[in-house]
């Protein structure tokens, strides 16, 4: 490649790596087309997703548009459907309206009236709902819901029915993907903490932690993945790199606990065993119980009471959102916390101290110049700041991290007073507990009533329940048709959520 070619490819964002073969061909094609005099290149992208909604342009499309000054040409959805017979008859039976739909309808009314009549009849069929008897047969009288089930139901009722009612599964290719990486990190954190003994990882030196995590990583490779024999060089490289990232995560956890009065009380705690009586009664009989495993529960005894903090490790980029909780999503940690604090826990009266998402990943750091080790450590610590909701009590917060500490908590201090959206007083935590309980009962009621409507939550074109849905081909979602309806969830600021919970403002 010439210098000009390399510069152009670099502008397109291409790393010259043999592993990028597919992208390499696409970028080379673009380069060849735009660099030859008299040649014209048309870059196309899907205008609509599988849910029927407008799709967002890919990175490649946007970069080409910006780099070469291209103008995106809009395409009429109705007119594009006229390009094939099957799509055209679907347009004729749809509620889109317009000249194209009328033309398709007139054509099939004359050319294939019986086919059009069958399509019209099928278009009038709605999903309906399950009978109460069928719903009880599928889900049972006493419901046991895991956080993933709750999240699925809050995202879309039809997807929940497909996944947990019919137990339909998409075919997937076996590989070392993100879920497996998350499983490995959780395994390493749990086993490293257990192997560290009574003092935990906080009692070990950094060298001791590195030796321990290396041993646990090797144990995982042997027990779960069959050892190194027969593995490709790429696989082993990725695994070793992931093990190094996990080592840094354990070191960060140890650094946090060394400065904290909170101590881990349980790892991978089974909620059903820890709180066997925690079931909510439902109208008409039966109950709903949330099951699951808590990554870590920390505690601090103060004035005879046990303050509990629920910790969840996240290998992705999920952060705590009060707005999501209000809409019935992202409730997992709060459910765990409020269930454990419903009475006595670990032999004492339990008080909620908060919930924290801890990033269990390595961050790629950027810097304008060559930073020293101190700057890198500061940047890495900032990237690993926790996300969550904490009790607004200075004593409790100082027990988690000293005032003026490294800044792992999402809290700001000024003249000894904490502040931030991640803080809530005991009264507000009580309101939130009631909201979570009411949401659980409402979801359970809908499940037992047989609700299977396609009502996907929609925050944006890049964040909605249809985007990566396994059941899109079976669902055939069409917003506004046959009872299908998106649920638009506008982002709510924390203070507005609290105002609505306190009754000072109407529901969103």
């Amino acid at each position: 490649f010439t210098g000009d070619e390399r510069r152009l490819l670099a502008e397109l964002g291409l790393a010259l790596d043999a592993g990028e073969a597919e992208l390499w061909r696409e970028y080379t094609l673009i380069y060849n087309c735009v660099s030859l005099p008299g040649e014209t290149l048309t870059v196309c992208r899907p205008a609509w997703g599988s849910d029927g909604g407008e799709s967002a342009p890919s990175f490649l499309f946007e970069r080409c548009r910006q780099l070469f000054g291209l103008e995106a040409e809009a395409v009429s959805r109705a007119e594009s459907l006229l390009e094939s017979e099957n799509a055209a008859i679907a347009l004729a039976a749809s509620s889109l309206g317009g000249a194209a739909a009328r033309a398709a309808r007139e054509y099939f009314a004359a050319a294939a009236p019986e086919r059009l009549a069958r399509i019209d009849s099928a278009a009038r069929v709605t999903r309906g709902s399950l009978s109460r008897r069928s719903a009880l047969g599928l889900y049972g009288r006493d419901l046991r819901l895991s956080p993933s089930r709750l999240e699925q139901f809050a995202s879309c009722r039809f997807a929940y029915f497909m996944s947990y009612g019919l137990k339909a599964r998409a075919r997937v290719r076996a590989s070392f993907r993100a879920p497996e990486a998350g499983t490995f990190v959780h395994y390493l954190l749990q086993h490293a903490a257990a192997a560290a003994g009574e003092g935990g990882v906080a009692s070990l030196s950094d060298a001791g932690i590195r030796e321990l995590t290396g041993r646990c990583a090797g144990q995982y490779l042997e027990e779960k993945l069959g050892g190194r024999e027969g593995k490709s060089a790429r696989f082993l490289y990725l695994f070793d790199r992931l093990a190094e990232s996990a080592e840094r995560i354990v070191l960060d956890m140890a650094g946090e606990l060394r400065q904290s009065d909170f101590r881990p009380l349980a790892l991978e705690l089974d909620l059903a065993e820890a709180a066997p009586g925690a079931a909510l009664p439902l109208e008409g009989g039966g109950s709903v119980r949330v099951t699951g495993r808590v990554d870590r529960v920390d505690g601090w005894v103060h004035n005879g009471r046990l303050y509990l903090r629920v910790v969840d490790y996240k290998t992705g980029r999920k952060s705590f959102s009060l707005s999501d909780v209000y809409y019935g999503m992202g409730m997992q940690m709060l459910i765990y916390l409020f269930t454990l604090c419903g009475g006595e826990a670990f032999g004492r009266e339990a008080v909620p101290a908060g919930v924290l998402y801890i990033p269990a990943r390595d961050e790629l750091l950027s810097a304008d110049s060559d930073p020293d080790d101190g700057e890198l450590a500061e940047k890495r610590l900032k990237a690993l700041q926790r996300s969550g909701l904490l009790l607004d009590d200075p004593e409790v917060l100082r027990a988690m991290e000293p005032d003026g500490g490294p800044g792992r908590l999402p809290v700001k201090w000024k003249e000894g007073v904490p502040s931030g959206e991640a803080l809530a007083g005991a009264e507000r935590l009580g309101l939130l507990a009631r909201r979570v309980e009411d949401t659980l009962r409402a979801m359970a009621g809908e499940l037992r009533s047989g609700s299977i409507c396609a009502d996907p939550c929609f925050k944006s074109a890049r964040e909605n329940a249809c985007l990566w849905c396994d059941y899109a081909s079976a669902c055939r979602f069409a917003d506004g048709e046959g009872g299908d309806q998106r649920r638009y969830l506008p982002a709510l600021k924390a203070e507005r959520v609290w105002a609505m919970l306190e009754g000072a403002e109407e529901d969103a």
Side-chain angles (χ1 to χ4, degrees):
F1 293 93
T2 67
D4 287 341
E5 288 172 331
R6 286 181 179 274
R7 278 193 292 275
L8 178 57
L9 290 168
E11 279 191 86
L12 285 169
L14 175 64
L16 299 181
D17 184 341
E20 303 284 351
E22 277 302 317
L23 287 176
W24 180 262
R25 281 193 289 271
E26 291 184 31
Y27 286 130
T28 305
L29 171 64
I30 292 168
Y31 173 75
N32 288 336
C33 289
V34 300
S35 62
L36 295 175
E39 294 291 334
T40 301
L41 171 68
T42 300
V43 182
C44 301
R45 73 173 183 87
W48 304 279
S50 58
D51 64 343
E54 186 177 349
S55 66
S58 70
F59 165 81
L60 176 63
F61 185 90
E62 278 298 290
R63 181 58 66 89
C64 290
R65 186 183 65 78
Q66 295 168 12
L67 188 62
F68 303 117
L70 304 177
E71 290 189 11
E73 181 181 337
V75 179
S76 165
R77 180 186 178 193
E79 290 180 5
S80 68
L81 290 175
L82 293 176
E83 294 179 5
S84 71
E85 184 177 352
N86 288 337
I89 198 165
L91 173 64
S94 74
S95 59
L96 286 179
R102 287 195 299 272
R105 191 160 190 84
E106 289 172 6
Y107 171 81
F108 285 106
E114 292 184 0
R115 186 181 181 191
L116 180 62
R118 290 197 302 270
I119 292 288
D120 280 340
S121 176
R124 289 192 292 271
V125 175
T126 62
R127 299 173 201 278
S129 62
L130 302 176
S131 67
R132 184 175 178 82
R133 180 178 178 182
S134 295
L136 286 172
L138 281 176
Y139 307 123
R141 183 171 179 273
D142 296 312
L143 301 173
R144 296 172 65 86
L145 301 176
S146 66
S148 57
R149 288 192 175 210
L150 290 170
E151 194 79 10
Q152 181 74 87
F153 190 77
S155 296
C156 180
R157 275 59 170 167
F158 183 73
Y160 182 96
F161 166 66
M162 292 292 290
S163 181
Y164 298 106
L166 298 185
K167 293 181 171 54
R169 296 289 181 268
R171 291 183 177 181
V172 294
R173 185 185 297 274
S175 63
F176 198 65
R177 302 182 309 277
E180 283 78 348
T183 301
F184 166 69
V185 171
H186 277 76
Y187 173 96
L188 193 143
L189 289 168
Q190 179 190 359
H191 283 72
E198 188 175 343
V201 292
S203 64
L204 301 178
S205 65
D206 286 358
I209 290 173
R210 291 189 180 93
E211 189 277 329
L212 178 61
T213 53
R215 182 156 31 96
C216 290
Q219 181 179 325
Y220 183 90
L221 183 60
E222 291 295 327
E223 293 181 358
K224 307 292 184 180
L225 303 176
R228 291 181 172 269
E229 187 176 351
K231 303 294 190 298
S232 68
R234 176 178 171 79
F235 180 93
L236 293 174
Y237 165 75
L238 290 174
F239 180 83
D240 291 339
R241 188 168 134 186
L242 186 61
E244 289 176 11
S245 296
E247 177 187 286
R248 285 189 283 271
I249 293 162
V250 178
L251 286 168
D252 175 71
M253 179 175 72
E256 174 196 21
L257 293 174
R258 285 167 188 159
Q259 295 184 319
S260 175
D261 292 329
F262 276 77
R263 290 288 176 264
L265 301 178
L267 301 167
E268 292 293 317
L269 178 68
D270 188 326
L271 195 65
E273 294 180 4
L280 296 175
L282 300 174
E283 285 187 29
S287 63
V288 58
R289 176 196 302 276
V290 176
T291 62
R293 287 189 175 275
V294 191
D295 283 353
R296 198 178 92 203
V297 181
D298 296 343
W300 175 56
V301 178
H302 182 62
N303 292 334
R305 297 195 295 180
L306 175 62
Y307 287 85
L308 289 183
R309 178 178 68 181
V310 169
V311 170
D312 194 39
Y313 297 109
K314 286 298 176 188
T315 50
R317 296 190 175 275
K318 183 175 178 62
S319 59
F320 182 84
S321 167
L322 201 58
S323 178
D324 282 353
V325 173
Y326 186 81
Y327 291 127
M329 299 182 292
M331 301 190 300
Q332 173 184 359
M333 289 200 298
L334 288 174
I335 291 173
Y336 291 161
L337 178 68
F338 295 141
T339 299
L340 291 171
C341 293
E344 282 196 357
F346 302 100
R348 289 180 179 270
E349 178 191 356
V351 179
V355 295
L356 284 178
Y357 282 128
I358 295 184
R361 63 179 185 274
D362 235 4
E363 292 285 351
L364 293 177
L365 305 177
S366 59
D368 296 332
S369 58
D370 186 18
D372 59 32
D373 290 346
E375 289 176 298
L376 280 175
E378 186 178 344
K379 281 179 173 288
R380 182 169 284 114
L381 188 62
K382 186 176 181 180
L384 293 176
Q385 188 182 64
R386 283 60 170 136
S387 166
L389 188 67
L390 300 171
L391 179 63
D392 190 1
D393 183 322
E395 282 190 283
V396 174
L397 295 172
R398 288 193 186 96
M400 293 185 189
E401 181 179 75
D403 184 356
R408 289 184 176 91
L409 297 183
V411 178
K412 293 181 180 178
W413 292 87
K414 185 175 181 181
E415 298 178 358
V417 178
S419 64
E421 287 190 349
L423 299 180
E427 186 176 346
R428 282 186 165 181
L429 286 178
L431 290 173
L432 198 58
R434 284 193 287 276
R435 175 72 181 188
V436 169
E437 184 176 311
D438 290 345
T439 302
L440 280 175
R441 283 200 168 98
M443 286 183 177
E446 285 190 63
L447 268 174
R448 291 174 58 166
S449 71
S451 175
I452 60 170
C453 60
D455 61 344
C457 65
F458 191 92
K459 296 180 182 180
S460 69
R462 294 181 179 275
E463 190 177 2
N464 62 76
C466 294
L467 201 55
W468 307 110
C469 182
D470 288 335
Y471 309 107
S473 58
C475 174
R476 309 295 293 175
F477 176 81
D479 195 23
E481 295 184 21
D484 291 358
Q485 193 71 48
R486 284 195 185 110
R487 282 180 295 120
Y488 290 91
L489 307 181
L492 303 173
K493 291 186 178 297
E495 279 309 312
R496 189 179 178 199
V497 174
W498 292 124
M500 289 187 292
L501 292 178
E502 292 165 350
E505 190 175 332
E506 292 185 2
D507 285 0

